[in-house]
Amino acid sequence: MDVLALSIQALADRIRARAISIPELVGEVLREIRNRDPELNAYVTICEDGVQHQAKRLQAEIDRGRWRGPLHGIPIAVKDMVFTRGCRTTMGSKVYAHFVPDDDATVIRKLKRAGAVIIGKTNTHEFAFGPTGDRSLIGPTRNPFDKRKISGGSSGGSGVAVAARLAFAAVGTDTGGSIRIPASANGIVGLKPTFGLVSRSGVFPLSHSLDHVGPMTRDVIDNALLLQAMVGFDPKDPHSVRKRREDYLRGIGRSIRGRTVGVSAYFSERVEAEVLRALEKAIDVFEALGAKIERLDLRPEFEAIVNAQQVILQAEAYAVHETTVREHPDLLDPEVYERLVKSKEVSGYKYVQAMQKRKEYIHLLNKTFEKIDVLLTPTLPILPPEIGQREVNAQWKEPVREALLRFTSPFNYTGHPSLSIPCGWSKSGLPIGCQLVGQFYHEALLYQFAYAFEKARE
Amino acid sequence: MDVLALSIQALADRIRARAISIPELVGEVLREIRNRDPELNAYVTICEDGVQHQAKRLQAEIDRGRWRGPLHGIPIAVKDMVFTRGCRTTMGSKVYAHFVPDDDATVIRKLKRAGAVIIGKTNTHEFAFGPTGDRSLIGPTRNPFDKRKISGGSSGGSGVAVAARLAFAAVGTDTGGSIRIPASANGIVGLKPTFGLVSRSGVFPLSHSLDHVGPMTRDVIDNALLLQAMVGFDPKDPHSVRKRREDYLRGIGRSIRGRTVGVSAYFSERVEAEVLRALEKAIDVFEALGAKIERLDLRPEFEAIVNAQQVILQAEAYAVHETTVREHPDLLDPEVYERLVKSKEVSGYKYVQAMQKRKEYIHLLNKTFEKIDVLLTPTLPILPPEIGQREVNAQWKEPVREALLRFTSPFNYTGHPSLSIPCGWSKSGLPIGCQLVGQFYHEALLYQFAYAFEKARE
């Protein structure tokens, strides 16, 4: 049995039954990272200090009969934008090459309390400011299915670590698609939760009104298990929402018969043929599962939303990085530096207008979700391009950046929960992801659809 | 007896006792406007249609024994930024020279319900975008104490109408000082209430996060009477707050002995000698009334706040006026046009930073209000300059605009309630105003201080 291939759920049973020892498990993951990560470049830092101590302490609890729950003893990776006490956190940047936080981010504290072992910090596009995952202080992360291809980003290291079995799950952050893009590119499950559901306190900001934190896992149940531990009101995040605790696994195994899947032509335009075929097959699967397909016209809204999201992102990102751009231009990756400098030019009034339009579009999307249960889109309109590639290699012209963000970024602007799940393979052996989007706080329903889909594909 | 010189309180008694008839009262005010307004230019439009009908209807109520309260039958003026059903509302601009609203602003509906008679629309600096009150489609409003001097703005017509007895009270709007500046310049009482207390629905926006609506009156009690009718939660204003109804007159006549007045050197710098003397006399009056004087150092904060307020104002104002600037540059006053065009250049990231700093400074000021009951400042550092004058004529160099806004605009940024009250006269016979600022929702306390001061000066 290859322990590293197990789902969290399967692993948890074995840990609880003392069939696997946590220190040995951690040792095995660390060995795998040492052997295989040099060519993948998923990890920036292994949290060597304390990780085995923590593993022993957690094992001692098991030995005493205390089991914290399904994350007890599970080695997970954390994107290098999320502060980890005593373990270097670089933001993928030379500027923070030696930064060791004094404190854990709220979400890390929650995961540790649930028993998770933070095994290392995963590569991120510098300051999470890019969807390709190929610009950071340690260079590009490589796609495990074709090492010339990008991991996707910005949570590229997290995506690759989970896909390549160098961690059982990972924490990512998502401002325009940074969880869902690498989830899609690496054939895993990635959730950008509803805005405000998971605290960003202790997470280095990129764009305070667009930033989200969420789980990246190999399957749907594991994703729900992680989310369960990550959510919760946090007064330290001004956008954190008070919500009653709920069971995110409650939809797992329940039928979606009679439910409605929305699709829109907007999400089929400028899409590579193989991706489109995967989407159409996904529609067939949902129909076979008894769901109704509802065709919607969402083009004008979504074109405006994509632009507004970029305006907000740029203004808020430059507000964060103004000092760094001025004081350490030499330490920044040249491409990231150039995009930051360009962000400075966004007008105040355009930001104000983009923020004012926001309520209107949220209302519009909420209205849409009165007619459908979930919206189904491809996560990416293209297959993972090559590392360093900046123009799409398709029947239309478009910067790779814009193509990667086109279907994911609208839901950072509106805040709706969005889940990327694997939904196919290209002939060349690259993963294809589909995105399920739901009404605010309908994460459990997204998992219900995703699990039914996952089972049907098996 | 000169009926036009009466306070609202005194007038209300006579109306209730049928010693004054409302239609006659309205007629008298209209006559006075026709006689004296041509040289003051306080009114843009007299709401002739319906005003006498309304007066008769209100008188019939009195005759039947129904009295709505102290505003029953009181003729009041309304700044031409506030929508009045069936009565032209120009925003002081040729762009809206023929605009007649279909609906009353929420605050007008409330005042009408309280029995007020909306007699006319008062001049405003075009789109309320200027503190001098000398740029509008009908030209400058003139200071009744010296017709070569400005009325102050942007609610200049409201200030002059109330001071010159062409209305018993007026509604103003205040984004950087636009109620308090003309209140000071015309020797009347003007309140910018706590942000969110008075609805802005139906008020043409200048800067949605800085705009306030408030009362302008001849004395403190009248001001409280107007506020009483104007407040209230309104779902149509997204910033409106839910507050329990309270009695804004409850502090009137109560001692301020043992209470604390804060003063800061920041509000004595770059201040004309005569204004400084008036401030010092005001401090003496408060001390004589038994208040303690607490000296604070607020300079660094307030310098930053003044800048941040301007950044927000410009970005939000251009977001409102973008289309007008593009489509009707010829209809805009050239100076207003030029300032709007300059506002376009404010960076998005600076707006974001100014908004992020906001909470911090609000917190800081809240902390200050734990040590003091009210902050006392001059309303304006200078005496009203001449119409068209753009540089201060003082011992320092400063644009008139910046000087006029320097002490008032910080409280639009933080949202604290601020009341301008008359506190002296220049040798040349121009009024001088002092500003009292309080903790959020402490309007009744401001009135308590202001009334004690007003009585002591008599």
Side-chain angles (χ1 to χ4, degrees):
Chain A
M1 183 199 64
D2 180 2
V3 137
L4 297 180
L6 290 176
S7 74
I8 291 177
Q9 218 189 11
L11 196 57
D13 289 344
R14 287 170 173 76
I15 288 171
R16 192 179 190 181
R18 301 173 66 188
I20 292 175
S21 113
I22 300 167
E24 279 172 33
L25 176 66
V26 166
E28 200 148 334
V29 174
L30 291 177
R31 252 190 317 281
E32 190 77 356
I33 294 172
R34 270 193 295 273
N35 289 341
R36 294 181 45 228
D37 197 50
E39 60 168 6
L40 293 171
N41 217 23
Y43 282 90
V44 182
T45 306
I46 302 303
C47 303
E48 305 270 9
D49 272 11
V51 69
Q52 275 299 3
H53 173 78
Q54 198 196 346
K56 277 179 201 153
R57 203 166 42 77
L58 286 162
Q59 184 59 46
E61 285 182 10
I62 294 284
D63 294 344
R64 286 200 311 273
R66 186 187 173 203
W67 184 66
R68 294 184 184 219
L71 299 188
H72 193 130
I74 307 292
I76 71 168
V78 173
K79 186 181 187 179
D80 216 12
M81 295 289 288
V82 181
F83 289 12
T84 42
R85 187 152 71 101
C87 188
R88 183 171 73 133
T89 302
T90 69
M91 330 308 156
S93 177
K94 288 179 189 161
V95 178
Y96 288 91
H98 308 292
F99 174 66
V100 179
D102 288 332
D103 251 316
D104 281 326
T106 296
V107 71
I108 298 304
R109 209 157 29 226
K110 283 174 176 286
L111 285 167
K112 283 183 176 172
R113 208 176 300 138
V117 179
I118 309 300
I119 201 145
K121 304 303 291 289
T122 46
N123 201 11
T124 168
H125 205 105
E126 187 173 30
F127 290 120
F129 199 44
T132 45
D134 52 4
R135 297 285 179 155
S136 97
L137 83 166
I138 63 158
T141 298
R142 295 175 180 279
N143 194 303
F145 299 95
D146 179 346
K147 296 191 188 65
R148 292 165 308 168
K149 306 288 184 186
I150 62 165
S151 60
S154 61
S155 315
S158 289
V160 171
V162 172
R165 300 176 177 174
L166 306 182
F168 292 94
V171 171
T173 70
D174 190 315
T175 305
S178 283
I179 285 172
R180 292 158 288 162
I181 295 164
S184 176
N186 296 289
I188 64 165
V189 178
L191 175 77
K192 179 205 81 61
T194 302
F195 187 65
L197 199 61
V198 176
S199 167
R200 293 103 37 100
S201 174
V203 179
F204 198 91
L206 172 59
S207 175
H208 66 87
S209 80
L210 298 166
D211 290 345
H212 297 67
V213 176
M216 302 172 75
T217 58
R218 292 190 210 139
D219 67 28
V220 174
I221 289 180
D222 285 2
N223 207 278
L225 289 174
L226 238 74
L227 182 66
Q228 199 76 44
M230 291 167 76
V231 299
F233 174 70
D234 179 8
K236 288 193 284 180
D237 177 351
H239 292 288
S240 181
V241 292
R242 285 182 194 275
K243 283 286 295 175
R244 217 152 28 101
R245 280 202 79 72
E246 55 176 288
D247 175 11
Y248 291 104
L249 284 98
R250 67 179 185 274
I252 300 292
R254 284 178 61 187
S255 163
I256 57 165
R257 183 164 303 278
R259 297 278 196 171
T260 308
V261 174
V263 295
S264 170
Y266 175 80
F267 298 105
S268 305
E269 285 162 17
R270 291 187 295 161
V271 173
E272 279 184 37
E274 286 190 290
V275 175
L276 211 52
R277 262 199 301 281
L279 178 73
E280 279 155 11
K281 273 195 197 160
I283 294 172
D284 292 345
V285 170
F286 282 118
E287 276 196 306
L289 287 165
K292 287 176 292 188
I293 307 300
E294 174 86 26
R295 290 180 196 273
L296 310 160
D297 179 18
L298 300 169
R299 186 177 308 101
E301 298 85 286
F302 274 82
E303 279 172 0
I305 290 173
V306 164
N307 288 330
Q309 191 271 351
Q310 278 302 300
V311 164
I312 293 171
L313 170 63
Q314 292 183 306
E316 294 184 354
Y318 197 81
V320 170
H321 292 292
E322 185 200 4
T323 315
T324 303
V325 166
R326 212 172 41 232
E327 294 179 4
H328 306 294
D330 48 314
L331 293 179
L332 289 164
D333 170 88
E335 193 183 71
V336 169
Y337 173 78
E338 196 187 321
R339 279 198 52 232
L340 276 172
V341 167
K342 244 185 92 184
S343 299
K344 186 179 179 177
E345 304 310 321
V346 167
S347 303
Y349 80 94
K350 286 202 173 151
Y351 177 84
V352 171
Q353 289 173 338
M355 291 299 273
Q356 283 176 332
K357 279 275 175 203
R358 205 161 180 171
K359 278 187 191 163
E360 205 176 292
Y361 286 121
I362 288 172
H363 179 71
L364 202 136
L365 219 59
N366 285 347
K367 283 274 166 206
T368 302
F369 282 115
E370 289 174 7
K371 288 181 290 189
I372 61 172
D373 289 297
V374 298
L375 178 67
L376 174 68
T377 85
T379 306
L380 305 175
I382 54 173
L383 296 172
E386 296 200 355
I387 288 169
Q389 183 184 333
R390 289 301 179 255
E391 283 291 328
V392 296
N393 188 5
Q395 261 142 319
W396 68 94
K397 278 188 98 58
E398 189 179 18
V400 160
R401 228 194 117 258
E402 287 175 25
L404 292 175
L405 291 163
R406 184 145 41 90
F407 296 160
T408 52
S409 67
F411 308 106
N412 295 76
Y413 180 76
T414 66
H416 289 85
S418 315
L419 181 69
S420 181
I421 52 174
C423 70
W425 295 92
S426 73
K427 282 190 203 116
S428 56
L430 287 168
I432 296 170
C434 285
Q435 180 178 234
L436 291 168
V437 187
Q439 182 54 286
F440 286 110
Y441 308 115
H442 282 198
E443 277 81 0
L445 185 64
L446 292 184
Y447 288 139
Q448 180 177 337
F449 272 84
Y451 182 79
F453 183 81
E454 190 178 77
K455 279 288 136 198
R457 279 187 77 219
E458 271 175 21
Chain B
M1 182 196 67
D2 180 4
V3 134
L4 298 179
L6 291 176
S7 74
I8 292 178
Q9 217 189 10
L11 196 57
D13 290 343
R14 287 169 174 77
I15 289 172
R16 191 179 191 182
R18 302 173 63 186
I20 293 174
S21 111
I22 300 166
E24 280 173 32
L25 177 66
V26 167
E28 199 149 334
V29 174
L30 290 177
R31 255 190 314 282
E32 190 76 358
I33 294 171
R34 271 194 294 273
N35 289 338
R36 296 181 44 228
D37 197 50
E39 61 171 5
L40 292 171
N41 216 23
Y43 281 90
V44 181
T45 305
I46 303 302
C47 302
E48 306 269 10
D49 272 11
V51 70
Q52 275 300 4
H53 173 78
Q54 198 195 347
K56 278 179 205 154
R57 202 166 42 79
L58 287 161
Q59 183 60 44
E61 285 183 9
I62 294 285
D63 296 343
R64 286 199 311 271
R66 185 187 174 202
W67 184 66
R68 294 184 184 219
L71 299 188
H72 192 130
I74 307 292
I76 71 168
V78 173
K79 185 181 187 178
D80 216 11
M81 294 289 288
V82 181
F83 289 13
T84 42
R85 187 153 71 103
C87 188
R88 183 172 73 132
T89 302
T90 70
M91 330 307 159
S93 178
K94 288 179 190 160
V95 178
Y96 288 91
H98 307 292
F99 174 65
V100 179
D102 288 331
D103 251 315
D104 282 324
T106 296
V107 72
I108 297 303
R109 208 157 28 226
K110 283 174 177 287
L111 285 166
K112 284 184 176 172
R113 209 177 300 141
V117 179
I118 308 301
I119 201 142
K121 305 302 293 289
T122 47
N123 200 9
T124 169
H125 204 105
E126 188 173 28
F127 291 122
F129 199 43
T132 45
D134 53 3
R135 297 284 180 155
S136 97
L137 83 166
I138 63 158
T141 298
R142 295 175 180 280
N143 194 303
F145 299 95
D146 179 345
K147 297 190 187 67
R148 293 164 308 168
K149 306 289 184 186
I150 62 165
S151 59
S154 60
S155 315
S158 289
V160 170
V162 173
R165 300 174 178 177
L166 306 182
F168 292 94
V171 172
T173 70
D174 189 315
T175 305
S178 284
I179 285 172
R180 292 158 289 161
I181 293 164
S184 177
N186 296 289
I188 65 165
V189 178
L191 175 77
K192 178 204 81 60
T194 302
F195 187 66
L197 198 61
V198 176
S199 167
R200 293 106 34 100
S201 174
V203 178
F204 199 92
L206 172 59
S207 174
H208 66 87
S209 81
L210 298 166
D211 291 344
H212 297 67
V213 177
M216 302 172 75
T217 58
R218 294 191 209 138
D219 67 28
V220 174
I221 290 180
D222 285 2
N223 207 278
L225 289 173
L226 237 74
L227 182 66
Q228 200 75 44
M230 291 166 74
V231 299
F233 174 70
D234 179 8
K236 286 192 285 179
D237 177 351
H239 291 287
S240 181
V241 292
R242 285 182 196 274
K243 283 286 295 172
R244 216 153 27 102
R245 281 202 79 72
E246 56 176 288
D247 176 12
Y248 290 105
L249 284 97
R250 68 180 184 273
I252 300 293
R254 285 179 61 185
S255 164
I256 58 164
R257 184 164 302 278
R259 296 278 196 169
T260 308
V261 174
V263 295
S264 169
Y266 175 80
F267 298 105
S268 304
E269 285 162 16
R270 291 187 294 161
V271 172
E272 279 185 36
E274 287 190 288
V275 175
L276 211 51
R277 262 199 301 282
L279 178 71
E280 280 157 10
K281 273 196 198 157
I283 294 173
D284 292 346
V285 170
F286 281 119
E287 276 196 307
L289 287 165
K292 288 175 293 189
I293 307 301
E294 175 87 24
R295 288 178 197 275
L296 311 159
D297 179 18
L298 300 169
R299 187 177 306 102
E301 297 85 286
F302 274 83
E303 280 172 359
I305 290 173
V306 165
N307 288 331
Q309 191 270 350
Q310 278 302 302
V311 165
I312 293 172
L313 169 63
Q314 293 183 307
E316 294 184 353
Y318 197 82
V320 170
H321 293 292
E322 185 200 4
T323 315
T324 303
V325 166
R326 210 174 41 232
E327 293 178 3
H328 306 293
D330 48 314
L331 293 180
L332 290 164
D333 171 87
E335 194 183 68
V336 169
Y337 172 76
E338 197 188 321
R339 281 198 50 232
L340 276 173
V341 168
K342 245 185 91 183
S343 298
K344 187 180 179 178
E345 303 310 321
V346 167
S347 304
Y349 81 94
K350 285 202 173 150
Y351 177 85
V352 171
Q353 290 174 337
M355 290 300 272
Q356 283 175 332
K357 280 275 174 201
R358 204 162 182 170
K359 276 186 193 164
E360 206 176 290
Y361 286 120
I362 288 172
H363 180 71
L364 202 137
L365 219 59
N366 285 347
K367 282 275 167 207
T368 302
F369 282 114
E370 289 175 7
K371 288 182 289 187
I372 61 172
D373 289 298
V374 297
L375 178 68
L376 175 68
T377 84
T379 306
L380 305 176
I382 55 173
L383 296 172
E386 297 200 353
I387 288 168
Q389 183 185 331
R390 289 300 179 255
E391 283 292 326
V392 297
N393 187 7
Q395 263 144 319
W396 68 94
K397 278 189 97 59
E398 190 179 17
V400 159
R401 228 193 117 258
E402 288 177 22
L404 291 174
L405 291 163
R406 186 147 37 90
F407 296 160
T408 51
S409 67
F411 308 106
N412 294 79
Y413 180 76
T414 67
H416 290 84
S418 316
L419 181 69
S420 182
I421 52 173
C423 69
W425 295 91
S426 74
K427 283 192 202 112
S428 57
L430 288 167
I432 296 170
C434 284
Q435 180 179 231
L436 290 168
V437 188
Q439 183 53 289
F440 285 110
Y441 308 114
H442 282 200
E443 277 80 0
L445 186 64
L446 292 184
Y447 287 138
Q448 182 177 338
F449 272 83
Y451 183 78
F453 182 81
E454 190 177 76
K455 280 288 136 202
R457 277 187 78 218
E458 271 176 18

